[in-house]
Amino acid sequence: KLEHTSVWVVCLVVCRPPWSREFSRAMSTISPYTTQGKWSHSSGGEIDINVDSTGQSVIINHPTVGKQTLEVRKFCAGDGLDYFGFKGKIEGNKITWNNGVVWTKLA
């Protein structure tokens, strides 16, 4: 009979016990691969998102911001996206940002 049982959850980005704050921030329900590809910006231009070979960073080429590399654990935040403080929600083929901008996935 076991008197003490410990449960550890292993994730690809960060390994932390489930009761830690870092664990809850590291876990995301969004895969960076769902964001990969070309997107049309509602104000014009295209955004290109690629996941790097390690799977730990996304490279975003934005028409006005330029090329940025972000850690997946920061970009894929919880059940949404975080792009320099702007919060985004993926719904179907669109990402709607809290500043009113919409990115639409191109075929």
Side-chain angles (χ1 to χ4, degrees):
K1 185 175 180 179
L2 294 174
E3 293 182 22
H4 179 69
T5 304
S6 295
V7 176
W8 289 87
V9 177
V10 178
C11 62
L12 293 176
V13 179
V14 178
C15 294
R16 299 274 189 250
W19 54 86
S20 74
R21 293 171 99 191
E22 290 83 6
F23 177 84
S24 62
R25 282 196 300 260
M27 294 303 295
S28 176
T29 57
I30 297 176
S31 165
Y33 296 99
T34 62
T35 67
Q36 188 164 258
K38 290 198 180 292
W39 299 80
S40 174
H41 193 291
S42 58
S43 296
E46 290 183 1
I47 297 100
D48 190 26
I49 302 176
N50 289 294
V51 180
D52 77 352
S53 61
T54 68
Q56 295 184 10
S57 295
V58 291
I59 299 102
I60 302 172
N61 198 350
H62 188 281
T64 56
V65 180
K67 188 175 182 179
Q68 304 289 326
T69 301
L70 302 171
E71 292 178 38
V72 166
R73 67 182 184 87
K74 292 181 180 177
F75 181 62
C76 298
D79 62 350
L81 300 173
D82 188 324
Y83 185 57
F84 297 107
F86 295 107
K87 307 302 181 195
K89 294 284 183 191
I90 298 179
E91 294 175 339
N93 68 337
K94 295 184 184 297
I95 300 173
T96 304
W97 298 95
N98 63 345
N99 62 350
V101 168
V102 177
W103 296 358
T104 304
K105 187 108 183 221
L106 299 173

